[in-house]
Amino acid sequence: MSWYAFYQRASRASHDYPSITKLAVLFTVSGGGLLAFSDARPFRGAYADAIQSDQKKKKVVVLGTGWAGTSFLKNLKDPSYEVQVVSPRNYFAFTPLLPSVTCGTVEARSIVEPVRNIVKKKGLDVQFREAECLKIDAVNKKVYCRSNPDNNLGGEENFTVDYDYLVIAMGARSNTFNTPGVVENCHFLKEVEDAQKIRRSVIDCFEKATLPSISEEERKRILHFVVVGGGPTGVEFAAELHDFVTEDLAKLYPCAKDDVKITLLEAADHILNMFDKRITAFAEEKFQRDGIDLKTGSMVVKVTDSEISTKERATGENRSIPYGMVVWSTGIGTRPVVMDFMKQIGQGNRRALATDEWLRVEGCDNIYALGDCATINQRKVMEDIMAIFSKADKNQSGTLTVADFKDVIKDICERYPQVEIYLKRKQLKNFVDLLKNYQGNAQKEIIDIELFKAALSEVDAQMKNLPATAQVAAQQGAYLANCFNRMERCETYPEGPLRFRGSGRHRFHPFRYKHFGQFAPLGGEQTAAQLPGDWVSIGHSTQWLWYSVYASKLVSWRTRMLVISDWGRRFIFGRDSSRI
Amino acid sequence: MSWYAFYQRASRASHDYPSITKLAVLFTVSGGGLLAFSDARPFRGAYADAIQSDQKKKKVVVLGTGWAGTSFLKNLKDPSYEVQVVSPRNYFAFTPLLPSVTCGTVEARSIVEPVRNIVKKKGLDVQFREAECLKIDAVNKKVYCRSNPDNNLGGEENFTVDYDYLVIAMGARSNTFNTPGVVENCHFLKEVEDAQKIRRSVIDCFEKATLPSISEEERKRILHFVVVGGGPTGVEFAAELHDFVTEDLAKLYPCAKDDVKITLLEAADHILNMFDKRITAFAEEKFQRDGIDLKTGSMVVKVTDSEISTKERATGENRSIPYGMVVWSTGIGTRPVVMDFMKQIGQGNRRALATDEWLRVEGCDNIYALGDCATINQRKVMEDIMAIFSKADKNQSGTLTVADFKDVIKDICERYPQVEIYLKRKQLKNFVDLLKNYQGNAQKEIIDIELFKAALSEVDAQMKNLPATAQVAAQQGAYLANCFNRMERCETYPEGPLRFRGSGRHRFHPFRYKHFGQFAPLGGEQTAAQLPGDWVSIGHSTQWLWYSVYASKLVSWRTRMLVISDWGRRFIFGRDSSRI
């Protein structure tokens, strides 16, 4: 059933949003991640005349090679840009499979693809620099960089890169909420290296626990694995670890298996908050059956090298739990370099770079931000209510007729998506209905500004920030690349909505996020999926949906083949427990 | 042709040495490595009566899980031992494929197998301890250990392990010949981690070389890869690196490819000294064609962080070469803990633990040493010449007849294998012929001690130390396990040669190494193989022989499948250049 529903939904979406789905027929759900990577056809012909050898190429600098940056590069087709990519990682990682890497269900190398490989096929002028961005200088249009400090070669290299357009897609860091001891003692799960380190540490715990000098009590401590954060990542890791222990390690460490304990700490009342209640309930029950100790309403206040201290929200009680390994997965925070840039441009009090609906950083020229480091500051209807009214009121009569509306209604709905959401929520057919509805039985044909204001007063409450997922980042990257591809054409023939506070039209349609659903793997070959429209599917069949969607979403045929053969290898031989 | 010759040779060998080859029908050549791993059948029945619950189990401690240690564990079948394995690595690594790991032709995880996995199938009482051996106390029969200091858990664990029998199979370390700067600046290629580090460093060099701030000269320095040591490992790494650069990296780093240079430094006059001259010549020519700079007669005297200084043997000239990365592969040295133990037992002036032909460490009880940390001290005929003579001279007449000889001839040849080598070399049929040959035309029937001494005087010159290869280590491990399996039976019914200096017979046949040949992969899908009897095969067909032999020799079906799929993946997609 879930397959059918999913298919229906996907075809409807592809019908409504051809511009997104023409990239690939692949319909694309992912547990925190989506990237509509088509097999990129060379696109030189269409733009051949755009390149004029005497015309200086515009310099585009892309910071980051995560979902947003890579999606941008994958979809950029206009060869008239000179692109430089700066990132400390020379590869793109398919992060939704990171929890699988922690236990060896999938190998780290199977989920990465070199950025150079991704861009080289496209005939674009793209240079990659393996370096960290230290500072953005928006005044002089420069980015200060330093060569990857983790490399094995001595000496750092510092250099600057000039830009005409800057695309900031640096992602975020793990958020510790300044809890003492977290950075020193906990594992995070954001990078490929984190996952590899977790894998080694799990084995370390088992090896240490089976040494002859370890006491019973100490063994129990070492084999106590704590996961902090009941979001999709934390839950998936706990489930993976449980499977790893019961399916593989129990056979190899028979004397240790009875002492293993997995605890999941969540500060809120339930895990998987962003999911439907049915999924949360199923996950909580499954964890209980599996023997995973689920402690909700438990806030971590301190971590030492062998104990984790929590405060119980209900009782106010403080508790200390001895542990062997902690994985911290409670959400994301701002990277220092982004924070520094935000202070520069007067956004110091925000949590992420604020952009407008076209992903342009507020208060800057030619700087775009997307992915986890950015947030779209959706314009409020009430801020522009006068401008909207006067734009609609062409003859400046001070009142509007329904006929007046007809012309601007599409633009209003495009510029202010909250209007449409409000209409849907109120089950109204269209904007005119909203006004009529508000007038009650009066049914005037003439609307004045007060009535207009009153009718729209609740609309802005519908605005929601987009979640910090791979799915959002990938769509933003593709959207922005599409804008860059049509920059010149749209300059002449703008295609966006009316400028209510100015004249003419916006160059591009604003970014619109299309949610394709989300997965939450729960271990034991069971997965929960929440598809748009509150469709929920849980169980073994959903796990197969998960397998097929993730396999189809991988960035290259190489990674696809590797991941599928990893899954096969795991089914046949189990996971490897070598400490490498 | 090489296949047929190989098959013939293998069948002959399996006929002559049924005790070795009954382990597996697999005939087993390997480039520096052989391990006759049969799929171990449980062997409990035959020994069931050997276990008596009231009888205390003999404690066997095995140090190391390399070729020797793992081969011992794989072949041990007697469940009446309580085995403890101490090693800093909880896996066995198929080291002949390490050079392939350095460039991603094969993944690191594909060549390792957890030791627990290897031993768990056998129904033996084996405990594994992931720890380093710090000190061996032969007086109190104790081994001092410390938990793996590389692990991610804080705190070391120290413990001791008691033994009745100790099997030392700790291998060796890379030998730097105390050249200044080598430890600090060079990569080695002994462990899986080394190979992974080399892989990352190669990518680091390419990434750094393509930064915009790097000058032309600096780029050339960074892309200069130096390999020190022209043995099979160094040569194979240089060839692998050349293939990686030309087949994969050149496409991704087009601006760097022309600056790449690979130099191979060898102190002797030729590379691959231990191989046939035809192979050496072919390899040297191939490297020249490939553009690998081969500098023979060049001794490294110092390494700094960016330059390597050599002294040319021919001219005495000192030269400094700027480099980006150095891989040091010049042979093996003694591990500190083994050296410490050697001093304890009065072998401080040796290069490896001296054992007798039964792999027992000289001057110790119940301590065995095998693999790269040990060397067999073959007893000289001339030392025992009087004892041999008097043993043969049953009636103590002071002279021997040919008939007297007949009884002891087999024992002499078994106890002193150099006799047989000498006979073969001189193309003599048997021992009696040797004596006859020596007598010239006299053809006396009676031999006295002086004649006997004279006839055997040159025999000991045939003694050669065994090479430090995986092939030797694996055969030693299997041999020793076989002795342990039949310890009690052979106590009652000794099967070894006569004790010339004592009475009765030795318990076991002494260890005899059977050389199955050696491979030297030269890159570009070409390999050289030297099979016993100076058979040489070079070229693409030999590469396929190499593929099949190595695939068959891998320790488990899992690793076999992984390595073969790695090879396939490389053929289709090339090697991955992600820096992880």
Side-chain angles (χ1 to χ4, degrees):
Chain A
M1 190 188 92
S2 67
W3 261 107
Y4 177 68
F6 184 71
Y7 174 71
Q8 266 200 325
R9 209 144 277 284
S11 14
R12 202 177 323 134
S14 105
H15 196 257
D16 295 345
Y17 294 81
S19 67
I20 291 176
T21 47
K22 83 176 172 198
L23 291 169
V25 182
L26 305 164
F27 42 89
T28 50
V29 178
S30 78
L34 173 152
L35 187 44
F37 278 163
S38 62
D39 274 15
R41 292 149 298 165
F43 211 86
R44 302 190 90 160
Y47 291 102
D49 29 29
I51 332 169
Q52 293 160 12
S53 56
D54 55 338
Q55 182 193 327
K56 211 169 159 258
K57 282 187 170 186
K58 291 274 191 189
K59 287 177 188 158
V60 179
V61 172
V62 182
L63 304 178
T65 51
W67 281 93
T70 307
S71 173
F72 175 80
L73 292 169
K74 247 321 244 213
N75 289 282
L76 193 68
K77 287 164 186 164
D78 185 347
S80 70
Y81 296 107
E82 183 190 314
V83 184
Q84 294 205 57
V85 185
V86 178
S87 169
R89 273 171 298 287
N90 73 356
Y91 54 83
F92 162 76
F94 189 82
T95 49
L97 284 176
L98 269 191
S100 298
V101 173
T102 56
C103 297
T105 308
V106 163
E107 287 303 322
R109 203 167 289 276
S110 307
I111 66 163
V112 301
E113 184 71 22
V115 177
R116 292 170 198 271
N117 241 348
I118 293 173
V119 298
K120 85 162 182 222
K121 303 160 196 157
K122 313 201 63 209
L124 297 179
D125 180 3
V126 180
Q127 295 292 328
F128 176 82
R129 317 293 188 194
E130 195 189 71
E132 216 177 3
C133 165
L134 289 183
K135 189 180 151 70
I136 298 164
D137 179 352
V139 178
N140 300 305
K141 295 195 160 191
K142 264 184 202 312
V143 177
Y144 291 83
C145 308
R146 183 177 56 195
S147 69
N148 200 342
D150 293 337
N151 73 23
N152 294 309
L153 311 169
E156 292 172 1
E157 283 295 322
N158 288 284
F159 60 95
T160 61
V161 181
D162 297 327
Y163 67 82
D164 295 313
Y165 300 106
L166 180 64
V167 178
I168 305 177
M170 284 193 274
R173 60 171 181 79
S174 296
N175 200 346
T176 65
F177 302 102
N178 294 322
T179 313
V182 171
V183 173
E184 297 84 351
N185 301 302
C186 296
H187 289 272
F188 299 109
L189 189 42
K190 272 206 78 64
E191 312 289 347
V192 176
E193 283 89 350
D194 295 340
Q196 289 176 307
K197 220 172 136 197
I198 288 175
R199 182 171 184 179
R200 275 195 296 273
S201 294
V202 172
I203 301 296
D204 279 341
C205 288
F206 276 85
E207 288 297 350
K208 190 164 181 186
T210 49
L211 292 180
S213 58
I214 297 290
S215 68
E216 178 79 20
E217 190 192 1
E218 183 72 354
R219 175 156 63 245
K220 284 193 169 152
R221 178 185 76 75
I222 295 171
L223 293 173
H224 185 202
F225 299 94
V226 180
V227 183
V228 184
T233 309
V235 166
E236 189 178 348
F237 170 67
E240 274 280 349
L241 182 63
H242 173 263
D243 287 358
F244 188 26
V245 169
T246 53
E247 292 170 13
D248 301 288
L249 296 180
K251 290 175 208 152
L252 293 186
Y253 302 82
C255 55
K257 69 168 190 252
D258 297 328
D259 296 325
V260 178
K261 193 177 157 191
I262 301 171
T263 300
L264 180 62
L265 300 177
E266 164 61 47
D269 289 334
H270 290 285
I271 58 169
L272 298 175
N273 279 316
M274 63 296 289
F275 282 87
D276 190 277
K277 283 205 182 77
R278 287 166 285 177
I279 291 179
T280 299
F282 181 88
E284 290 180 351
E285 265 168 50
K286 184 175 183 304
F287 275 18
Q288 203 165 14
R289 276 201 309 279
D290 287 348
I292 296 173
D293 194 8
L294 187 61
K295 284 203 168 67
T296 52
S298 193
M299 235 179 65
V300 176
V301 290
K302 202 177 91 180
V303 185
T304 70
D305 61 354
S306 61
E307 287 200 335
I308 182 162
S309 307
T310 61
K311 186 175 181 146
E312 304 306 308
R313 237 178 9 151
T315 58
E317 188 193 351
N318 282 303
R319 287 173 45 184
S320 273
I321 321 170
Y323 75 86
M325 190 180 115
V326 177
V327 172
W328 187 272
S329 164
T330 58
I332 56 168
T334 322
R335 285 193 191 277
V337 53
V338 175
M339 184 50 88
D340 175 73
F341 178 60
M342 282 161 64
K343 278 179 190 151
Q344 250 186 72
I345 59 171
Q347 295 192 6
N349 54 347
R350 291 183 153 274
R351 150 201 99 69
L353 270 168
T355 71
D356 63 14
E357 298 86 336
W358 291 267
L359 310 184
R360 293 175 300 198
V361 175
E362 287 185 353
C364 298
D365 282 338
N366 298 328
I367 299 187
Y368 301 80
L370 49 169
D372 288 0
C373 66
T375 179
I376 296 176
N377 211 357
Q378 175 57 49
R379 188 93 191 154
K380 288 192 182 122
V381 172
M382 292 317 281
E383 285 177 33
D384 296 346
I385 193 86
M386 295 303 292
I388 298 170
F389 189 87
S390 74
K391 203 82 177 190
D393 181 18
K394 278 184 201 137
N395 51 7
Q396 301 298 327
S397 64
T399 55
L400 289 177
T401 62
V402 172
D404 283 336
F405 263 130
K406 288 262 159 79
D407 294 338
V408 292
I409 199 125
K410 207 173 134 257
D411 293 299
I412 294 177
C413 287
E414 186 173 10
R415 181 72 185 82
Y416 308 96
Q418 59 265 49
V419 174
E420 220 160 357
I421 301 170
Y422 185 76
L423 293 176
K424 248 188 211 159
R425 213 194 159 104
K426 292 273 175 192
Q427 294 177 317
L428 295 165
K429 247 202 315 222
N430 55 36
F431 198 79
V432 180
D433 276 2
L434 168 67
L435 296 173
K436 279 188 185 154
N437 186 52
Y438 205 80
Q439 290 169 287
N441 299 330
Q443 298 287 348
K444 284 191 277 183
E445 273 298 296
I446 307 294
I447 299 141
D448 63 11
I449 179 72
E450 290 313 314
L451 178 64
F452 193 65
K453 268 189 187 168
L456 290 169
S457 61
E458 284 169 39
V459 165
D460 288 329
Q462 302 305 319
M463 294 196 314
K464 258 190 192 164
N465 281 337
L466 295 177
T469 61
Q471 204 171 159
V472 170
Q475 289 184 24
Q476 289 181 336
Y479 165 83
L480 192 64
N482 207 25
C483 293
F484 271 70
N485 290 337
R486 296 174 304 124
M487 193 79 92
E488 284 193 43
R489 199 197 322 162
C490 291
E491 195 71 66
T492 328
Y493 310 107
E495 60 181 25
L498 271 180
R499 288 180 198 268
F500 288 104
R501 280 164 307 149
S503 63
R505 294 190 157 270
H506 289 278
R507 259 190 306 184
F508 304 108
H509 295 292
F511 172 71
R512 284 293 265 285
Y513 170 61
K514 175 73 193 156
H515 186 61
F516 287 98
Q518 205 174 358
F519 282 114
L522 302 173
E525 294 296 307
Q526 299 197 58
T527 289
Q530 182 164 3
L531 306 173
D534 289 335
W535 275 88
V536 164
S537 162
I538 309 178
H540 296 285
S541 59
T542 317
Q543 176 79 18
W544 285 98
L545 178 65
W546 181 88
Y547 280 132
S548 35
V549 170
Y550 275 27
S552 74
K553 291 294 91 215
L554 278 158
V555 72
S556 68
W557 281 105
R558 189 186 65 84
T559 51
R560 204 164 289 144
M561 193 197 87
L562 288 178
V563 165
I564 293 172
S565 75
D566 281 352
W567 285 333
R569 190 246 314 132
R570 204 270 286 169
F571 273 110
I572 303 169
F573 301 106
R575 303 167 181 88
D576 181 41
S577 66
S578 305
R579 193 199 171 279
I580 60 166
Chain B
M1 191 188 89
S2 67
W3 260 108
Y4 178 67
F6 183 71
Y7 174 71
Q8 267 200 323
R9 212 146 276 285
S11 14
R12 203 176 323 135
S14 104
H15 196 257
D16 295 345
Y17 294 82
S19 68
I20 291 178
T21 46
K22 82 176 175 197
L23 290 169
V25 182
L26 305 162
F27 43 87
T28 50
V29 178
S30 77
L34 172 153
L35 187 43
F37 278 163
S38 64
D39 275 15
R41 293 148 298 166
F43 211 86
R44 300 190 93 161
Y47 293 101
D49 29 27
I51 333 168
Q52 292 161 8
S53 56
D54 55 338
Q55 181 194 325
K56 214 171 159 247
K57 283 187 170 187
K58 290 273 190 189
K59 288 178 187 158
V60 179
V61 172
V62 181
L63 303 179
T65 51
W67 282 93
T70 308
S71 173
F72 175 79
L73 292 169
K74 247 319 244 210
N75 288 282
L76 192 67
K77 287 164 187 165
D78 184 348
S80 70
Y81 296 107
E82 184 190 313
V83 184
Q84 294 205 56
V85 185
V86 178
S87 169
R89 275 172 297 287
N90 73 357
Y91 54 83
F92 163 76
F94 189 82
T95 48
L97 284 175
L98 269 190
S100 298
V101 172
T102 55
C103 296
T105 308
V106 163
E107 288 302 323
R109 203 168 287 278
S110 306
I111 65 163
V112 301
E113 184 70 24
V115 176
R116 290 169 198 275
N117 241 348
I118 294 173
V119 298
K120 82 160 186 227
K121 302 159 197 158
K122 312 200 65 209
L124 297 181
D125 180 4
V126 180
Q127 295 292 326
F128 177 82
R129 317 293 188 194
E130 196 189 70
E132 218 177 2
C133 165
L134 290 182
K135 190 179 151 70
I136 298 165
D137 179 351
V139 178
N140 299 305
K141 295 195 160 189
K142 264 183 202 310
V143 177
Y144 291 83
C145 308
R146 182 178 57 194
S147 69
N148 199 342
D150 294 336
N151 74 21
N152 293 308
L153 311 169
E156 291 172 1
E157 284 294 324
N158 288 284
F159 60 96
T160 60
V161 181
D162 297 326
Y163 67 83
D164 295 313
Y165 299 106
L166 180 64
V167 178
I168 305 178
M170 285 194 273
R173 59 172 182 80
S174 295
N175 200 347
T176 65
F177 303 101
N178 294 321
T179 312
V182 172
V183 173
E184 298 84 350
N185 301 303
C186 296
H187 288 273
F188 299 109
L189 189 42
K190 272 207 76 65
E191 311 289 345
V192 175
E193 283 89 351
D194 294 339
Q196 290 176 308
K197 220 172 138 196
I198 289 175
R199 181 170 184 180
R200 275 195 296 273
S201 294
V202 171
I203 302 296
D204 279 340
C205 287
F206 275 85
E207 288 298 348
K208 190 165 181 185
T210 50
L211 291 179
S213 58
I214 297 289
S215 69
E216 178 80 20
E217 189 192 1
E218 183 73 354
R219 177 158 59 246
K220 284 195 171 149
R221 178 185 75 74
I222 294 171
L223 293 175
H224 184 202
F225 299 93
V226 179
V227 183
V228 183
T233 309
V235 166
E236 189 178 347
F237 169 68
E240 274 281 347
L241 181 63
H242 174 262
D243 287 357
F244 188 28
V245 170
T246 52
E247 292 171 11
D248 302 287
L249 296 179
K251 290 175 207 151
L252 294 185
Y253 302 82
C255 55
K257 68 167 189 248
D258 296 328
D259 295 325
V260 178
K261 192 178 158 193
I262 302 171
T263 300
L264 180 61
L265 301 177
E266 164 61 47
D269 289 334
H270 289 285
I271 59 171
L272 298 175
N273 279 315
M274 64 295 290
F275 282 87
D276 190 278
K277 283 206 179 77
R278 285 166 287 176
I279 292 179
T280 299
F282 181 88
E284 290 180 351
E285 266 169 47
K286 182 174 185 305
F287 275 19
Q288 202 164 16
R289 278 200 310 278
D290 287 348
I292 297 174
D293 194 8
L294 186 60
K295 284 204 168 68
T296 52
S298 195
M299 234 179 65
V300 176
V301 290
K302 201 177 90 181
V303 185
T304 71
D305 61 354
S306 62
E307 286 199 339
I308 182 163
S309 307
T310 60
K311 186 175 182 145
E312 304 306 309
R313 238 177 8 149
T315 59
E317 189 193 351
N318 282 303
R319 288 172 45 185
S320 272
I321 321 169
Y323 74 86
M325 188 179 116
V326 177
V327 172
W328 187 273
S329 165
T330 58
I332 56 168
T334 320
R335 286 193 191 279
V337 52
V338 174
M339 184 49 90
D340 176 71
F341 178 60
M342 282 160 64
K343 279 180 190 151
Q344 250 185 73
I345 58 170
Q347 295 192 4
N349 54 347
R350 291 183 153 273
R351 154 201 97 66
L353 269 166
T355 70
D356 63 15
E357 297 87 334
W358 291 267
L359 310 182
R360 294 175 298 197
V361 175
E362 287 184 353
C364 298
D365 282 338
N366 297 327
I367 301 187
Y368 301 81
L370 50 169
D372 287 1
C373 67
T375 179
I376 296 175
N377 211 357
Q378 174 60 48
R379 188 91 191 158
K380 288 188 184 129
V381 172
M382 291 316 281
E383 284 177 34
D384 295 346
I385 192 86
M386 294 304 291
I388 298 169
F389 190 85
S390 74
K391 203 82 177 187
D393 182 18
K394 277 181 202 144
N395 53 6
Q396 303 297 325
S397 64
T399 56
L400 289 177
T401 64
V402 171
D404 282 338
F405 262 132
K406 288 262 157 81
D407 294 339
V408 292
I409 200 125
K410 208 174 134 253
D411 294 299
I412 293 176
C413 288
E414 186 173 9
R415 182 72 185 84
Y416 308 97
Q418 59 264 50
V419 174
E420 219 160 2
I421 301 171
Y422 184 76
L423 291 178
K424 248 188 209 159
R425 211 193 163 106
K426 292 274 174 190
Q427 294 180 314
L428 296 167
K429 249 206 311 234
N430 55 37
F431 197 79
V432 179
D433 276 2
L434 167 67
L435 295 174
K436 279 187 189 159
N437 187 54
Y438 204 80
Q439 289 168 286
N441 299 330
Q443 298 286 348
K444 283 190 280 183
E445 273 296 296
I446 305 297
I447 299 141
D448 62 11
I449 179 74
E450 290 313 313
L451 178 66
F452 192 66
K453 268 188 187 169
L456 291 169
S457 61
E458 283 169 39
V459 165
D460 287 330
Q462 302 304 320
M463 294 194 315
K464 258 190 191 165
N465 280 336
L466 295 177
T469 62
Q471 205 172 155
V472 170
Q475 288 185 24
Q476 289 181 336
Y479 164 82
L480 191 64
N482 207 25
C483 293
F484 271 69
N485 290 337
R486 296 174 304 125
M487 193 79 92
E488 284 194 41
R489 200 198 320 164
C490 290
E491 195 70 68
T492 327
Y493 311 106
E495 59 182 26
L498 270 180
R499 288 181 198 268
F500 289 104
R501 282 165 305 150
S503 63
R505 296 190 155 268
H506 288 278
R507 259 192 305 184
F508 304 109
H509 295 292
F511 171 72
R512 285 292 266 285
Y513 171 59
K514 176 72 194 158
H515 186 61
F516 286 97
Q518 203 174 359
F519 282 115
L522 302 173
E525 294 295 308
Q526 299 196 56
T527 288
Q530 182 164 2
L531 306 174
D534 288 335
W535 275 89
V536 164
S537 162
I538 309 178
H540 295 286
S541 60
T542 317
Q543 176 80 20
W544 286 98
L545 177 65
W546 181 89
Y547 280 133
S548 35
V549 170
Y550 275 28
S552 74
K553 292 293 89 215
L554 279 158
V555 72
S556 68
W557 281 105
R558 190 187 64 85
T559 51
R560 206 164 287 145
M561 193 197 88
L562 288 178
V563 166
I564 292 172
S565 75
D566 282 351
W567 285 332
R569 190 246 315 132
R570 203 270 287 172
F571 273 110
I572 304 169
F573 301 105
R575 301 167 183 90
D576 180 41
S577 66
S578 306
R579 194 201 171 279
I580 61 166

